[in-house]
Amino acid sequence: MTKPCFTFDPISRLLAAALAGEPDAVQTLADTPDHRALIVSNRIAPGLAIRASELGITGPEVETWTTHMRSAAVQRLCLENARNQLGAIFSEIGIPWIPLKGVGFDNSIYPRPEERLSTDIDIMIRPEDVEKAVDALVAQGWRDLIKSENQRRFVFDEGYNWKASSPDGVFTELHFRLWGGVSESFASTMFERAEPFTGLGPGARRLTTADAYLIAAVHAWQTPSPRYLALWWDLQRLAHTMDHESERETTARATEYGLQLFVALSSAVAYEYWNHPAVKRIADANQGMFGLSERIASRVLRASSPGAASLGVITLGRLAAGRPSRTGWRAIPRQLWPHPGVVELKTPESWSWPRRRLTLIARKLHLMRD
């Protein structure tokens, strides 16, 4: 991509350089508390602690980073324990499953797993296994977090995951399809391509590198603003494990499933921060397949930062270009008039229904704060 795809401020570049282990950047951040809040909100404190240790860098902020790293390590153990419990239950009843995102990355991607800060576990199962999976988990002490018929209808009509909590309180999302901007076929074929995940039981599967990259690239834009730097660090880490075949497959599958705009923009952000050549090739190849509306959308987004860029602009650009998606044009009016299950989830039960509905409209129009 010949021009920066977004506006990048100097502080975000400093954070990115430090995360990559640039000694001067790490030392600058280690010497002052000025950027402490940004480091935490961008989910990079554990990574900075690891870089400082590797480089032998000291400073008043290093102990704060180390504290966050220790907390992340404990959290990681809790997540892996819940993942393993879930895997044992699914293996017993014959449900194949795929750990997604953080709990799906192995040591080849993150040699120090605690660097990849995660707060929940995301698991992919087949649509036909959802009811069986939920029943089995509830029987083993997991808590079903779907509390009403409206919320249940939303999950199956328009949503993509079933929310539950482990006996130890680990928040869990059982994905049976992907986000509304992704076609149904990508989720199903991704499942078919997944390989055995050794060590997690007979039903566990691992995404191919190409599919993991696509999931990370799309997920970045589904995350509400302000988005955090660690979202694009996943792409950088995945790129380090890619061979030429995985790189080729990434672009081929982005083309097959109409994900070019998602993948090009995410890859361009990661390249702007860390300059990995494979990431640049993926960004350029996908940008070269933009339709007119996607080119317009990418130009509109240049005035935004990656953390604040509008998913709506991306969605409109893709829809106008005829890219496949599960929700299609329905995604536009749903921004202003969400499903009743969403209204229930995001407003107090004690309010009248008109007040709950009008409150969400006012928030979307920025007439009131969340």
Side-chain angles (χ1 to χ4, degrees):
M1 303 182 89
T2 56
K3 297 181 180 179
C5 56
F6 293 98
T7 298
F8 295 85
D9 65 273
I11 300 304
S12 68
R13 289 186 182 278
L14 173 65
L15 298 180
L19 186 58
E22 202 284 312
D24 289 343
V26 177
Q27 188 67 69
T28 297
L29 295 177
D31 287 338
T32 174
D34 292 354
H35 307 304
R36 184 183 295 171
L38 279 176
I39 288 169
V40 172
S41 65
N42 278 282
R43 301 191 181 189
I44 62 171
L48 293 184
I50 292 168
R51 300 293 101 75
S53 176
E54 292 169 344
L55 295 167
I57 287 175
T58 60
E61 289 303 295
V62 173
E63 183 56 38
T64 300
W65 302 343
T66 302
T67 298
H68 282 281
M69 182 187 68
R70 290 170 181 152
S71 296
V74 171
Q75 177 71 4
R76 180 77 185 193
L77 290 174
C78 293
L79 296 178
E80 290 181 353
N81 182 57
R83 180 197 63 188
N84 295 343
Q85 290 176 1
L86 180 147
I89 294 168
F90 286 177
S91 293
E92 185 175 340
I93 60 177
I95 292 180
W97 60 286
I98 302 172
L100 298 176
K101 295 183 283 188
V103 294
F105 292 147
D106 63 20
N107 291 349
S108 67
I109 299 170
Y110 281 97
R112 297 280 296 273
E114 66 271 27
E115 177 179 346
R116 209 299 185 169
L117 188 61
S118 299
T119 58
D120 60 10
I121 59 175
D122 294 85
I123 303 297
M124 187 80 182
I125 58 178
R126 299 174 304 189
E128 61 267 29
D129 290 331
V130 177
E131 297 278 12
K132 182 180 178 183
V134 172
D135 289 345
L137 291 177
V138 169
Q140 294 294 324
W142 295 61
R143 188 160 59 95
D144 183 354
L145 299 180
I146 305 299
K147 295 303 180 184
S148 73
E149 187 57 33
N150 274 334
Q151 291 176 27
R152 176 184 170 85
R153 283 203 305 270
F154 169 72
V155 167
F156 285 106
D157 293 349
E158 299 180 20
Y160 53 88
N161 62 56
W162 194 290
K163 295 175 174 60
S165 178
S166 79
D168 297 323
V170 174
F171 184 70
T172 304
E173 293 187 347
L174 292 178
H175 294 254
F176 54 94
R177 53 192 175 214
L178 294 172
W179 309 277
V182 177
S183 68
E184 294 272 17
S185 61
F186 174 55
S188 60
T189 56
M190 179 187 80
F191 210 101
E192 293 170 3
R193 285 189 295 265
E195 305 154 348
F197 201 144
T198 305
L200 292 185
R205 302 181 183 181
R206 185 203 311 270
L207 292 179
T208 66
T209 302
D211 285 335
Y213 190 99
L214 293 179
I215 289 292
V218 177
H219 172 244
W221 304 114
Q222 314 304 315
T223 303
S225 298
R227 300 179 187 91
Y228 46 92
L229 187 63
L231 290 166
W232 292 286
W233 184 240
D234 280 350
L235 298 178
Q236 174 73 3
R237 300 305 308 172
L238 283 160
H240 274 291
T241 71
M242 277 187 167
D243 54 23
H244 290 299
E245 181 61 20
S246 293
E247 185 182 326
R248 186 197 65 77
E249 288 176 359
T250 300
T251 294
R253 290 176 193 167
T255 303
E256 181 178 358
Y257 302 109
L259 302 175
Q260 295 95 326
L261 187 56
F262 285 131
V263 174
L265 292 177
S266 285
S267 299
V269 172
Y271 179 72
E272 190 71 24
Y273 282 136
W274 299 295
N275 302 309
H276 195 289
V279 174
K280 183 179 189 302
R281 288 191 293 268
I282 292 170
D284 289 346
N286 280 275
Q287 184 191 34
M289 292 179 283
F290 281 0
L292 174 60
S293 62
E294 291 169 314
R295 292 196 296 273
I296 293 171
S298 66
R299 286 196 292 269
V300 169
L301 291 170
R302 283 179 191 158
S304 304
S305 70
S310 170
L311 175 59
V313 171
I314 297 173
T315 299
L316 189 58
R318 294 186 66 249
L319 288 171
R323 302 304 186 192
S325 68
R326 179 167 55 81
T327 54
W329 285 96
R330 180 178 58 178
I332 303 301
R334 272 305 190 206
Q335 293 297 306
L336 195 60
W337 194 264
H339 190 284
V342 176
V343 177
E344 282 191 355
L345 193 63
K346 293 188 175 183
T347 57
E349 186 177 353
S350 59
W351 290 3
S352 68
W353 188 255
R355 181 184 180 187
R356 298 172 82 172
R357 173 66 75 181
L358 290 172
T359 295
L360 287 193
I361 294 173
R363 288 175 183 169
K364 182 56 65 174
L365 295 175
H366 303 291
L367 299 177
M368 64 181 295
R369 294 182 179 179
D370 290 341

